[in-house]
Amino acid sequence: SSSSESDSEIEIGSSKPTVLVCGYSSEEIERIDAENLTYADFFTRYLQPNRAVIITSIANDWECFNRWINRTSVPPRLDVKYLKETLSNVPVPVADCEKQYYNSHEKGELQLHDFLENWASIDDESAPNEKTASRNRYYLKDWHLRSTVPGYDFYQTPPFFASDWLNEYLVEKGTDDYRFVYMGPKGTWTGFHADVFGSYSWSVNVFGQKLWYLLPAGEEQKLWDTLRNLPFMVSEKLLHEAEVKYYTILQQPGEAIFVPSGWYHQVLNVEDAISVNHNWFNGCNVEHIWRNLRDALQDVRREIDDCRDMDNFEDHCQLMLKASFGMDFLDFLTIIFYICDKRLASVQHGIKGRESTSYKLGKWHTYFDIKAIKNLLSEVLQGNHLSFCPDLFNLATNWLNKVNSIETSF
């Protein structure tokens, strides 16, 4: 991480923090310059109330913003030569925007240099060929470039998004991450969806423009069919006919969009576009993630209810939950216990916690996280949601006792 990250502290205020449940504020989406927004203000005005915002001038110092694009050309173009020289020729994940597979586009792989060559074919659009025909078809998505080349410092996580329990755990454990690069030629798009686990997401445009349809949580229910299925693609006509409240956003280069938990969206690259995206959760929305996980388990149980008499029924449900939702109860609580251990070490032993981005976590922010974990574990245990696994129940009880033992200190 950059030195500017390492020297920075993220803090939420100078008084005892309050844990709020995700809610929805009906105010219009604002555009705010990063220079005019403090972390504490972002936390209070947008993160806690689960409210979308656009933050401008966010990527001015990023290597990818300044070097990946040849801004001396008219119009500016992707610097394919520089990227080929800088990045190895590796397989990259792509979505075929001409083929639907269930509720997403069909996924495949291309070699990075082949994808870049297809992209560069815009220079010869006057003479269509096989490459130009496929150019607007393949969308490089969900590319884990940051973890694949950890020494390549091509962007810095904006401080507003630094409290990230999900990637803090995954990156420090070296197992996985939810940090992605997207490269989409004009016309490529992402279907109507909410983000994994019901998490927050942030998306910073490095190049080009994106058109977003963004729906406050719950508005998507107006689009359900009789089986509660949602459309793969929405249009303004469809949204109007269903009387859906939504926002239309034309995202410009250098702008970050903060997408709150549970907000469905669809995104079209109206120009050749590149973005850096993270999915994440933290103390503000962790109970929302828990509720989604719990509801997903109920769906699994209903689906195989006729097998309830089988041996290890609950174990099978957890396996199916992990396959369908992306994590099971043990995965989720392991993240919570890891974060809890770090925050308690900071309070009890003065061990200054750092996020995976290397931002320092302030005192009141640390207290907020501990309070959020206490509330979460209390809800999990009081709801008797771990009765199927006594070992996990005992673990959660022990961690709640640890949190309660230091309650008087804040």
Side-chain angles (χ1 to χ4, degrees):
S1 299
S2 70
S3 59
S4 61
E5 282 185 1
S6 302
D7 294 339
S8 299
E9 179 179 81
I10 55 170
E11 185 57 291
I12 60 177
S14 58
S15 60
K16 183 175 178 178
T18 302
V19 178
L20 300 179
V21 176
C22 286
Y24 167 58
S25 170
S26 61
E27 296 177 25
E28 291 298 313
I29 294 177
E30 299 174 271
R31 263 189 169 89
I32 303 178
D33 191 281
E35 292 294 321
N36 299 324
L37 184 65
T38 67
Y39 179 84
D41 284 343
F42 173 76
F43 187 92
T44 303
R45 293 165 55 186
Y46 305 104
L47 206 55
Q48 281 194 299
N50 208 44
R51 181 179 162 209
V53 67
I54 303 165
I55 307 175
T56 64
S57 306
I58 207 93
N60 294 349
D61 297 329
W62 289 8
E63 201 267 2
C64 59
F65 187 80
N66 293 303
R67 293 302 311 274
W68 289 11
I69 313 304
N70 180 359
R71 300 188 188 277
T72 62
S73 68
V74 181
R77 300 191 191 282
L78 185 72
D79 194 332
V80 171
K81 181 175 182 293
Y82 176 78
L83 280 174
K84 282 186 171 183
E85 292 171 350
T86 305
L87 299 172
S88 300
N89 188 25
V90 295
V92 291
V94 295
D96 186 340
C97 290
E98 293 185 3
K99 292 184 179 179
Q100 182 177 343
Y101 182 75
Y102 292 100
N103 63 341
S104 64
H105 288 119
E106 188 174 287
K107 295 178 174 62
E109 274 189 349
L110 289 175
Q111 291 297 119
L112 175 61
H113 289 193
D114 289 339
F115 177 83
L116 293 174
E117 279 297 316
N118 282 358
W119 186 297
S121 66
I122 189 172
D123 296 328
D124 194 26
E125 280 187 334
S126 60
N129 54 37
E130 184 178 340
K131 283 188 175 181
T132 57
S134 66
R135 181 179 188 278
N136 297 342
R137 175 175 180 176
Y138 294 109
Y139 190 177
L140 193 162
K141 297 178 66 175
D142 299 331
W143 182 24
H144 296 261
L145 176 56
R146 190 63 176 262
S147 58
T148 303
V149 190
Y152 183 34
D153 191 21
F154 62 97
Y155 76 99
Q156 296 81 44
T157 300
F160 313 107
F161 315 129
S163 176
D164 178 349
W165 294 7
L166 180 61
N167 288 300
E168 181 177 354
Y169 170 78
L170 293 173
V171 172
E172 291 175 13
K173 285 296 185 179
T175 55
D176 196 5
D177 69 348
Y178 283 86
R179 306 175 299 174
F180 308 111
V181 169
Y182 282 45
M183 293 186 177
K186 177 181 178 180
T188 51
W189 60 290
T190 298
F192 187 61
H193 72 288
D195 288 308
V196 61
F197 313 136
S199 63
Y200 296 137
S201 67
W202 61 263
S203 178
V204 174
N205 260 17
V206 173
F207 178 52
Q209 294 181 330
K210 293 179 185 288
L211 177 66
W212 292 67
Y213 297 140
L214 187 60
L215 280 63
E219 287 294 309
E220 78 285 350
Q221 297 175 19
K222 297 174 182 177
L223 299 170
W224 280 346
D225 65 15
T226 54
L227 298 176
R228 296 176 58 164
N229 295 316
L230 288 166
F232 175 52
M233 172 189 278
V234 298
S235 63
E236 293 199 21
K237 181 175 183 292
L238 175 63
L239 295 172
H240 280 299
E241 289 176 349
E243 299 183 346
V244 171
K245 176 180 175 61
Y246 70 100
Y247 300 102
T248 301
I249 300 167
L250 188 60
Q251 184 187 16
Q252 305 295 334
E255 292 186 341
I257 293 184
F258 166 61
V259 181
S261 281
W263 284 45
Y264 275 75
H265 47 284
Q266 179 174 293
V267 188
L268 168 69
N269 294 320
V270 295
E271 299 177 342
D272 292 352
I274 300 173
S275 63
V276 176
N277 305 340
H278 284 202
N279 296 111
W280 94 103
F281 61 79
N282 59 26
C284 292
N285 68 335
V286 66
E287 290 192 36
H288 181 75
I289 307 302
W290 163 247
R291 288 193 296 270
N292 287 345
L293 180 63
R294 186 188 62 203
D295 292 347
L297 177 60
Q298 289 302 107
D299 290 341
V300 168
R301 285 172 172 160
R302 280 193 294 269
E303 189 169 331
I304 62 170
D305 187 63
D306 56 340
C307 303
R308 191 170 287 274
D309 294 334
M310 71 186 296
D311 292 339
N312 302 319
F313 173 77
E314 291 294 343
D315 292 339
H316 285 288
C317 287
Q318 290 293 314
L319 284 171
M320 292 181 65
L321 177 65
K322 186 164 185 170
S324 61
F325 189 77
M327 71 167 89
D328 59 19
F329 278 28
L330 177 59
D331 295 330
F332 174 72
L333 288 173
T334 298
I335 296 172
I336 303 307
F337 300 153
Y338 180 85
I339 298 299
C340 189
D341 188 43
K342 289 185 65 179
R343 302 302 183 264
L344 292 178
S346 177
V347 170
Q348 294 175 313
H349 308 297
I351 300 172
K352 195 66 175 178
R354 287 181 182 270
E355 302 292 313
S356 58
T357 57
S358 295
Y359 288 99
K360 298 175 184 177
L361 202 64
K363 171 185 173 182
W364 296 110
H365 208 314
T366 301
Y367 288 164
F368 174 89
D369 284 4
I370 293 172
K371 183 71 171 178
I373 291 169
K374 177 189 174 181
N375 290 353
L376 172 70
L377 293 179
S378 297
E379 180 182 332
V380 170
L381 292 168
Q382 290 169 9
N384 204 30
H385 297 292
L386 303 181
S387 58
F388 70 93
C389 182
D391 289 345
L392 194 53
F393 177 89
N394 291 335
L395 265 176
T397 301
N398 290 339
W399 278 106
L400 181 57
N401 289 337
K402 289 180 183 179
V403 172
N404 284 333
S405 70
I406 67 157
E407 178 72 17
T408 54
S409 67
F410 62 95

